[in-house]
């Protein structure tokens, strides 16, 4: 956080207390949203969010900001649709301009199998509340005239699905709005405070060791993004998560008429235009698990080549910035939220390459779980226990980045 931001949003910093009812580890979107909804929906404000660097320094400040609910299984469609709805009113609710904008999301199909997949996506989305329609080449050309429908003669576009609620919001503004909303109601956010250990008594987690000293806790929530296996280790849990880097980049400015968000699973890239006019492009995770934040030429070359196959105008643009985040990838490409076998230790993880869109609903549901002690129906399918029970979710195709 810098002075400019602090003047714009009312963040009040305090000394850590000896103990809190709830300690949330990680000042990304999910940690802050959990605190925000605890305070606003349940009046629980004796809460601390501990962030090892500055809020939004993890993936919540590094993503490509796509919000959508066009997932492939009913459980996921319902959950992400809730998030789409909460995002749509977050600006009004927090009285902060998060630059939320509905753009519509076009998911392209280049093969007969992909056409069938997009038709099925449209059906299942609409049935479970997230309107999506199958579109042909003519409609695709109207939605995004910059597309080369012939795919450079290599990847012709045969059809696609169109999800009108697809949107973007400025990522760091989302983080700041949630932090401000929580802090205004009495939640403490402590930056530069890394959790280095968990304090356990009789098998229950009762606090955290931090670089600023020990803090007691009624409940500890891990919301640490790609670093979750370290927190899990501290609790004595082996989590089914691998951490993979994910890179993205922006180009210099293009005329402001690229309105939709465009994605192609076959070509493993997606693109949208930022409010400044840059083309913002993302792709699949790096194949090698790692905690490295390094960005590389290989990614740029390979991703740009694929993107230019469909968007030839990109040839005339230059890469302006490139960056990387580290993603908590679960085996079934779905989140993991809720209680663990360790008493007093909850997790919200497995957000991989898709967790920005989930921030409001993830926070809302985790807050409800903490407040009531009961797992809300909306997130019950995403429990950690599903792996041991052999009930993993069949939604890998929805990530669009593998
Ligand atoms: C390049 C890229 C593009 C993406 N694009 C999209 C997209 O378009 N749409 C989408 O929905 N999702 C996208 N994602 C994924 C999304 O950004 C993440 O899933 C989401 O931000 C996760 O939020 P989080 O709060 O769980 O984690 P984070 O935002 O990573 O926050 C975790 C925080 O925990 C802190 N922390 C870690 N260890 C400790 C510790 N020991 N003590 C204290 N604090 C600690 C970290 O510093 C960090 O600030 C993208 C990700 C990347 C990297």
């Amino acid at each position: 956080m810098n002075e400019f931001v602090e003047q714009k949003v009312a963040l009040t910093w305090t000394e850590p207390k000896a103990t809190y009812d709830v300690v949330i580890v990680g000042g990304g979107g999910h940690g802050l949203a959990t605190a925000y909804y605890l305070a606003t929906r349940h009046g629980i404000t004796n809460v601390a969010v501990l962030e090892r660097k500055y809020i939004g320094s993890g993936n919540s400040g590094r993503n490509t900001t796509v919000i959508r609910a066009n997932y492939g299984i009913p459980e996921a469609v319902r959950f992400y649709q809730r998030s789409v709805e909460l995002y749509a009113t977050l600006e009004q609710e927090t009285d902060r301009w998060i630059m939320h904008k509905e753009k519509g999301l076009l998911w392209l199909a280049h093969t007969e199998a992909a056409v069938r997949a997009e038709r099925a996506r449209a059906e299942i989305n609409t049935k479970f509340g997230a309107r999506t329609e199958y579109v042909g080449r003519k409609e695709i050309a109207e939605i995004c005239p910059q597309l080369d429908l012939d795919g450079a003669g290599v990847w012709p576009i045969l059809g696609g699905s169109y999800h009108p609620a697809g949107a973007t919001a400025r990522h760091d503004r989302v983080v700041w709005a949630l932090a401000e909303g929580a802090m205004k109601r009495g939640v403490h956010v402590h930056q530069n405070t890394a959790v280095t250990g968990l304090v356990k008594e009789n098998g229950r987690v009762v606090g955290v060791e931090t670089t600023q000293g020990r803090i007691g806790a009624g409940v500890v929530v891990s919301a640490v993004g790609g670093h979750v296996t370290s927190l899990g280790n501290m609790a004595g849990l082996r989590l089914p998560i691998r951490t993979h880097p994910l890179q993205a980049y922006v180009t210099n400015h293009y005329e402001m008429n690229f309105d939709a968000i465009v994605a192609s699973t076959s070509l493993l890239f997606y693109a949208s235009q930022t409010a400044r006019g840059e083309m913002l492009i993302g792709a699949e995770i790096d194949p090698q698990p790692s905690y490295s934040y390094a960005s590389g030429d290989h990614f740029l070359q390979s991703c740009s080549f694929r993107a230019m196959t469909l968007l030839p105008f990109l040839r005339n643009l230059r890469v302006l910035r490139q960056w990387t985040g580290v993603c908590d990838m679960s085996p079934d490409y779905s989140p993991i939220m809720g209680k663990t076998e360790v008493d007093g230790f909850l997790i919200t993880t497995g957000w991989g390459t898709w967790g920005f869109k989930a921030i409001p609903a993830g926070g809302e549901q985790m807050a409800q779980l903490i407040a009531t002690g009961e797992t809300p129906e909306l997130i019950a399918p995403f429990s950690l226990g599903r792996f041991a029970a052999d009930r993993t979710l069949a939604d890998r195709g929805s990530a669009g980045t593998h």
Side-chain angles (χ1 to χ4, degrees), residues 134-156:
Y134 183 80
V135 285
R137 283 163 60 95
K138 185 165 165 287
E139 291 143 302
I140 289 172
E142 281 160 17
I143 295 166
C144 186
Q146 291 90 349
L147 279 167
D148 173 6
L149 291 183
D150 294 331
V154 189
W155 290 99

Side-chain angles (χ1 to χ4, degrees), residues 59-289:
N59 287 355
S60 297
R62 293 167 187 271
N63 60 72
T64 43
T65 77
V66 176
I67 298 164
R68 61 183 175 87
N70 57 343
Y71 277 70
I73 56 172
E75 298 88 335
V77 177
R78 281 199 207 100
F79 172 75
Y80 289 106
Q81 178 61 21
R82 175 70 187 149
S83 221
V84 163
E85 286 161 13
L86 287 170
Y87 257 124
T89 54
L90 194 58
E91 219 156 66
Q92 201 185 353
E93 175 174 338
T94 57
D95 200 20
R96 286 293 167 205
W97 186 39
I98 59 166
M99 301 172 78
H100 180 269
K101 191 172 180 200
E102 260 189 29
K103 297 179 170 175
L105 190 143
L106 189 57
W107 208 308
L108 301 169
H110 308 276
T111 62
E112 288 302 331
V115 165
R116 284 197 293 278
E118 295 314 315
R119 283 192 191 280
R121 186 201 295 275
E123 290 284 324
I124 198 165
N125 287 180
T126 305
K127 181 167 169 50
F128 290 97
R131 189 162 75 83
T132 302
E133 24 188 282
Y134 183 80
V135 285
R137 283 163 60 95
K138 185 165 165 287
E139 291 143 302
I140 289 172
E142 281 160 17
I143 295 166
C144 186
Q146 291 90 349
L147 279 167
D148 173 6
L149 291 183
D150 294 331
V154 189
W155 290 99
I157 297 169
L158 305 183
S161 66
Y162 182 63
H163 177 50
T168 58
R170 173 71 191 260
H171 48 23
D172 35 21
R173 284 180 181 244
V174 171
V175 166
W176 302 332
L178 293 168
E180 182 188 45
M183 288 165 99
K184 213 156 66 176
R185 292 168 175 88
V187 168
H188 287 183
V189 177
H190 302 297
Q191 300 190 111
N192 300 312
T193 306
V195 168
T196 53
L198 296 178
V199 185
K200 274 182 165 180
E201 269 174 22
N202 303 322
R204 184 185 167 86
V205 171
V206 293
V208 291
E209 300 287 359
T210 81
T211 45
Q212 312 294 331
R214 178 176 287 199
I215 299 175
V219 175
V220 173
V221 182
S222 166
V224 294
H227 299 270
V228 68
T229 45
S230 314
L231 258 286
N233 278 345
M234 293 175 198
L237 278 178
R238 188 153 175 257
L239 296 172
I241 294 285
R242 290 241 197 289
T243 296
H244 286 259
L246 177 69
Q247 306 188 42
Y249 64 99
V250 285
T251 67
N252 61 341
H253 298 183
Y254 174 67
E255 60 182 317
M256 293 292 296
N257 62 3
F258 193 95
D259 298 327
I261 305 161
V262 172
S264 161
T265 311
S266 300
L267 283 161
L268 283 175
F269 85 94
Y270 56 96
S272 66
Q273 186 167 32
T274 70
R276 280 195 286 252
E278 301 150 335
M279 290 305 299
L280 171 56
I281 299 174
E284 78 281 20
I285 50 171
D286 289 4
Q288 178 66 34

Side-chain angles (χ1 to χ4, degrees), residues 25-32 50-67 71 193-196 223-227 230-231 234 245-248 270 323-328 348-349 351-359:
V25 191
H30 282 277
L32 291 164
L50 310 180
E51 166 53 49
R52 65 178 186 148
K53 292 185 180 169
Y54 57 91
I55 58 172
S57 55
N59 287 355
S60 297
R62 293 167 187 271
N63 60 72
T64 43
T65 77
V66 176
I67 298 164
Y71 277 70
T193 306
V195 168
T196 53
V224 294
H227 299 270
S230 314
L231 258 286
M234 293 175 198
L246 177 69
Q247 306 188 42
Y270 56 96
W323 65 92
T324 302
V326 295
C327 296
D328 35 349
T348 174
T349 185
W351 290 116
T353 66
W354 50 85
F356 175 70
K357 66 181 70 63
I359 285 172

Side-chain angles (χ1 to χ4, degrees), residues 12 15 28 42 55 72 126 128 200 211 244 297 318 345 393:
T12 323
E15 288 300 310
H42 304 281
I55 58 172
T126 305
F128 290 97
K200 274 182 165 180
T211 45
H244 286 259
D297 288 350
R318 298 284 173 267
F345 184 67
L393 300 164

